[in-house]
Amino acid sequence: MGLQPSKSEAVLAIGPKIRALPVIHGSGDCAIRVREEVLAHPYDCLAVPLPPSFRDDVEEAVDALPSISVVLQRDAEGETDGFTYVPIDPCQPVIAAVRTAMGERIPRAFIDLESPNFEGRTGIYPDPYALKRVQVAGFASAILPALPPPDPDGSQARRHSWMANRLRDLEARHESILFVCSIMDWPWIRDAYVRGAPDPDPEWFLPQMRTCRVDPNTLIFLLGELPYITALYERGRRELTPDDNLSVDGVKEMLLAARERLRADRPKVAKRITPQLLSVYFRYVRNLSLIERRLTPDLYSLIIAAKQTAGDDFALALAETARHYPYADAFDRGDRPWWWDEPPLRMGDGRGDVPSWGTAPLTSRLPGQAISWRSCELRPKPPEPDRKTWKQRWDPFGMCSWPPEDQRIESFQRHVADQARAILGADLARSEKFTTSVRDGIDIRETLRNWHSGDLYVKVIPPSRGSIDAVVFLFDVPADPRVYVHRATWFAEHANESTLAFFATDPMENLVGPGIAQAEYGGALFLFPPRLIPDIWEDPRLSRLETLEERLLGGGLLHSRERHVALVSPKPPPASWRRLARRHGRKLVHLPLKRFSGQLLERLRTFHVLNGKHVRSYASDFIRDL
C-alpha cells in the first residue's frame, strides 16, 4: 500500500510511494526529526544520497557508533589528488536515518551517482531549530524560492537525474519509501522524477575505500554540532532521556560544565561566575544570535560573550569544553573493527592528515551549512617550561606596578574615602522643627513620630570636621601568613598615586609572561596624599603587632595625619583594634566589605608585578583583563 500524504505534506511526495525528507546536513534538530519520521511510519525502504560503494563501510562504521569515524574514497588519479568522505556523525541526519533503519531492520538503498571527483555544495540556511515549531513541509517550502538551480550540464544535475531514476527503480520493489536528502537537492530530484529525466552515463572507476577513526582533538572540524553537544545527543540515546531540545538546553549544560572545569583549575575565577553573571551572559548570547539572524548561538557567539562577561579564563574553559567528546573510545556493541588500531585521521578546515598518505584536500559527501571563520584573541595560561624560564630571569631588585590597575584601585580607594567622610557627617546630623527653610531635606522619620502635633521636621547636617587620608582594606580576615608571604611598601611615582603598603600571595608562583607576575592582595593600606614612610613590615615601632591585619592597620594609624582612618573589612573591628586606634589618638570608620560588589572586589584584589618599567611596553599582550 502506498503513502497517503495529507495536503500539507503532499509537497514532500516525489511519487505515489516515495516521500522525501529534506534535511540540513550536520544538524542535530534535523537528525531527531529523521529518527522520529523513520519510527513513526511503516516504511519498507530507506533511500540515502550516497553511492553504493560507500554502503558496506558506512554501515560498519555506523555500527561502531558512538565512536566517531570517517569513510574515505580517494579521488580519481590525475585530478585533485584528494578524498571525499562521509562523516559518521550521530547528528548527521543521513547517518541517523541509516542507524535507525539498521536497528529497525529496514532495507537501505544507497542511490547516489558514483563520481570520481565529487563537488560538494554548502549553503546558508535558516536555523533548523525552527523545526520545533514548524513542520518539515513548511520549512522546506519557505526555503524553496532561495535555492539556486543547478547547472543543467553540471555534475549536480547528473546526480539529480541518476537519483530520480534509482527512486523509480525502488518504487517497483517497495511500497513505502523514505528518501532522506539535502534540502538543496530535494526540489531538483523531484523535478527530474516528474519530467522523467533520462539516466546520465555513469563514470566508471575503481573506488578506493578506507575507514579511519578521527583524532578526538580535531572532531570540531568534522562534526556538524559541537562535540560536547553531540555527546549529549548520544547520552540521551543511551540513557533514554529527552533530547528534543538539546540545541538550547545543551548549551546551558555546556556552560555549567565549563564552570566546573574552570573551578578545578582556577577556583577563585570560577567563584565569580555567579547565577547573576550567567543571566547577563545568556542575555548577551541571545542578542548576538539575533544580530546574526539565528535562533540558537554558534560557538563564536558563545566564546565572545564568555570573554566579555567573565574574562579569557572562562572563554578558554568554554572552548575546551565545547570540543570535548567523551565517547571517543566507546562502542555500543561488538568488538572494535579492524581499522580502529590504525593511526587516526587529523581533520582540518577542508584538509586532513590521512594516515600513511599525508595532508590532502577533503570534500564531504554530506555538506551542510557554509562556515565562516572569525578571529577571537584569547590569552591562554602559559606553559610550565616558559614559566620556569621567566622565573630564572627575574630580577628581584627591579619591580613596579601595572598602571591600569593602579588607576583602577586608586579610583576605588578615593570612592571609599568619600563614603567614609559621608559617614562622619551623618553622625553629626540632627533634626529640628520646620520654620523658614527645609535645610537639608525633610526628616520623614521624625515627622511621622510627631504626627499628632502637626509639626514638620527637617534635617540639619553640619559640615564634617576633618578628612580621611588613610584607607585600610582587609580582604581576608584572619589572614594566613603562610599564604600571604609577599609583604612590601611601595612609594608613589607621581602626585596622583598613594603610598601603598600591602600583604599578598607570592607573585613568583604565578608568572603570566616574561617579567610579569600575578598576585592577590590579602590587605592593603593607602596613604593619600603620598608621603615617604618607613617600611611598615620592618618598622620597630610596629614590632609588637603580631598578625598581618594588625600590622597593616597599625601602619595606617601611625602615619595618618587625620583623626579618622577608614577601614574596609568583612566584620566590624574587634575591641583590640579599637584600643590600638585610641592608643594612637585615632578613630576607625568601618565600612563592611559586603557593601561593595563581590566581582569588583575580586577584580581589584588581583594585581600584577612587573620586573622593571620597560616591561610596561608589552605587558598588555600577556595580562588578561579579569
Side-chain angles (χ1 to χ4, degrees):
M1 183 176 178
L3 293 172
Q4 298 297 328
S6 62
K7 291 183 179 180
S8 61
E9 297 292 319
V11 66
L12 299 179
I14 294 180
K17 300 179 180 179
I18 306 170
R19 171 181 165 84
L21 190 60
V23 297
I24 297 175
H25 293 311
S27 166
D29 291 316
C30 288
I32 289 179
R33 186 66 188 87
V34 167
R35 184 189 66 194
E36 293 173 349
E37 180 70 23
V38 173
L39 297 177
H41 297 87
Y43 295 109
D44 62 357
C45 181
L46 170 70
V48 294
L50 293 174
S53 58
F54 279 89
R55 173 168 183 159
D56 294 337
D57 296 276
V58 166
E59 292 189 350
E60 181 187 32
V62 167
D63 201 46
L65 285 172
S67 297
I68 306 297
S69 58
V70 292
V71 177
L72 300 167
Q73 183 183 84
R74 187 178 174 185
D75 292 340
E77 295 184 3
E79 297 292 337
T80 60
D81 200 27
F83 293 83
T84 59
Y85 70 94
V86 175
I88 310 303
D89 175 3
C91 291
Q92 276 286 358
V94 170
I95 300 302
V98 171
R99 191 180 191 183
T100 307
M102 290 172 61
E104 297 296 315
R105 303 294 189 270
I106 299 174
R108 285 83 58 195
F110 288 58
I111 65 171
D112 204 351
L113 176 65
E114 297 282 3
S115 55
N117 299 103
F118 177 78
E119 298 179 8
R121 290 196 308 165
T122 59
I124 299 176
Y125 310 105
D127 196 324
Y129 183 76
L131 291 173
K132 306 295 182 186
R133 300 290 184 88
V134 180
Q135 294 297 322
V136 175
F139 185 82
S141 299
I143 300 176
L144 186 59
L147 297 180
D151 181 3
D153 300 323
S155 61
Q156 295 297 329
R158 297 177 68 251
R159 289 181 57 239
H160 298 158
S161 299
W162 181 272
M163 285 190 279
N165 283 280
R166 300 294 76 74
L167 289 173
R168 197 178 298 276
D169 295 341
L170 290 174
E171 222 174 7
R173 304 192 302 270
H174 299 279
E175 294 297 324
S176 180
I177 303 167
L178 176 66
F179 177 43
V180 179
C181 63
S182 170
I183 205 167
M184 292 191 72
D185 295 333
W186 154 67
W188 317 118
I189 296 174
R190 186 178 188 273
D191 175 69
Y193 178 93
V194 171
R195 60 186 173 85
D199 251 346
D201 295 329
E203 300 179 64
W204 298 112
F205 74 107
L206 181 62
Q208 300 181 47
M209 310 300 299
R210 183 174 182 182
T211 305
C212 297
R213 63 188 180 97
V214 183
D215 187 338
N217 293 326
T218 64
L219 284 176
I220 197 166
F221 293 100
L222 175 76
L223 302 179
E225 301 283 355
L226 296 176
Y228 187 89
I229 303 297
T230 303
L232 294 182
Y233 280 103
E234 274 301 304
R235 187 190 67 183
R237 184 179 184 275
R238 295 161 72 92
E239 300 178 1
L240 300 179
T241 54
D243 60 358
D244 55 342
N245 202 38
L246 283 179
S247 49
V248 172
D249 294 341
V251 172
K252 300 176 183 177
E253 187 169 344
M254 184 171 65
L255 262 293
L256 297 179
R259 184 175 64 175
E260 292 304 315
R261 176 189 287 264
L262 186 60
R263 181 173 286 122
D265 184 38
R266 300 181 63 114
K268 291 186 177 179
V269 177
K271 187 178 179 181
R272 297 201 302 266
I273 305 174
T274 60
Q276 180 183 9
L277 181 64
L278 287 178
S279 176
V280 173
Y281 171 82
F282 282 120
R283 286 200 299 272
Y284 193 9
V285 169
R286 178 202 61 189
N287 293 340
L288 288 177
S289 301
L290 293 177
I291 288 173
E292 297 183 357
R293 296 185 175 94
R294 293 178 57 92
L295 298 177
T296 55
D298 58 3
L299 181 61
Y300 181 79
S301 299
L302 294 173
I303 296 298
I304 286 293
K307 176 183 178 180
Q308 297 185 357
T309 57
D312 284 9
D313 289 312
F314 185 54
L316 285 166
L318 178 59
E320 291 295 325
T321 303
R323 71 189 190 101
H324 175 62
Y325 184 75
Y327 300 113
D329 294 319
F331 289 87
D332 277 346
R333 56 186 180 274
D335 297 328
R336 291 186 176 186
W338 63 270
W339 43 263
W340 193 257
D341 295 327
E342 298 291 322
L345 178 144
R346 292 181 56 81
M347 290 293 301
D349 181 18
R351 300 182 69 84
D353 186 4
V354 183
S356 71
W357 176 263
T359 304
L362 298 179
T363 303
S364 176
R365 285 273 180 174
L366 303 175
Q369 289 270 20
I371 297 175
S372 61
W373 292 94
R374 292 173 285 183
S375 61
C376 174
E377 183 180 355
L378 300 176
R379 298 186 178 97
K381 187 176 181 180
E384 192 61 32
D386 290 349
R387 298 174 68 181
K388 289 183 179 179
T389 303
W390 299 335
K391 190 172 184 179
Q392 292 170 354
R393 297 177 179 176
W394 187 273
D395 179 11
F397 299 102
M399 291 190 290
C400 63
S401 60
W402 173 232
E405 292 174 346
D406 294 342
Q407 297 170 7
R408 190 159 55 205
I409 200 165
E410 287 289 345
S411 174
F412 181 67
Q413 74 90 8
R414 290 180 188 130
H415 170 68
V416 170
D418 291 340
Q419 291 205 6
R421 280 193 291 268
I423 292 176
L424 289 178
D427 291 342
L428 302 175
R430 59 186 175 84
S431 296
E432 65 179 28
K433 287 184 180 181
F434 169 75
T435 53
T436 58
S437 172
V438 293
R439 295 297 183 95
D440 296 301
I442 297 174
D443 190 338
I444 300 297
R445 180 179 297 177
E446 195 66 23
T447 299
L448 291 176
R449 186 179 295 142
N450 295 275
W451 187 259
H452 62 281
S453 65
D455 295 324
L456 190 66
Y457 284 79
V458 295
K459 294 179 182 178
V460 180
I461 304 177
S464 59
R465 298 179 180 178
S467 183
I468 290 178
D469 66 346
V471 179
V472 179
F473 293 94
L474 296 177
F475 299 104
D476 192 359
V477 179
D480 189 348
R482 295 170 296 180
V483 175
Y484 300 106
V485 298
H486 183 57
R487 300 149 199 173
T489 299
W490 286 357
F491 299 104
E493 297 184 35
H494 50 79
N496 292 325
E497 279 190 351
S498 304
T499 299
L500 171 64
F502 63 90
F503 59 90
T505 57
D506 186 6
M508 293 294 100
E509 294 298 321
N510 190 12
L511 291 169
V512 299
I516 307 170
Q518 181 175 298
E520 190 174 77
Y521 289 119
L525 161 65
F526 292 86
L527 296 174
F528 186 82
R531 68 209 67 167
L532 291 176
I533 62 171
D535 184 359
I536 68 169
W537 307 106
E538 303 292 339
D539 195 336
R541 292 174 293 178
L542 303 173
S543 59
R544 293 184 179 181
L545 303 178
E546 298 179 353
T547 66
L548 297 175
E549 303 97 299
E550 290 178 348
R551 193 69 171 255
L552 195 67
L553 182 60
L557 296 171
L558 177 63
H559 297 291
S560 174
R561 297 172 181 171
E562 302 292 339
R563 184 170 180 270
H564 294 90
V565 173
L567 172 64
V568 182
S569 63
K571 297 179 182 179
S576 59
W577 294 5
R578 296 192 181 277
R579 287 195 297 268
L580 180 63
R582 286 197 297 270
R583 193 180 306 145
H584 288 85
R586 304 286 184 264
K587 186 176 181 181
L588 297 177
V589 180
H590 178 251
L591 287 85
L593 198 63
K594 63 182 180 181
R595 183 172 185 156
F596 308 101
S597 165
Q599 295 180 20
L600 172 64
L601 293 175
E602 287 294 330
R603 190 180 183 190
L604 292 173
R605 287 186 65 181
T606 303
F607 70 103
H608 293 83
V609 181
L610 309 185
N611 198 207
K613 293 185 178 180
H614 67 281
V615 180
R616 291 174 175 172
S617 61
Y618 61 83
S620 60
D621 295 334
F622 295 90
I623 295 178
R624 290 179 285 186
D625 192 16
L626 301 176

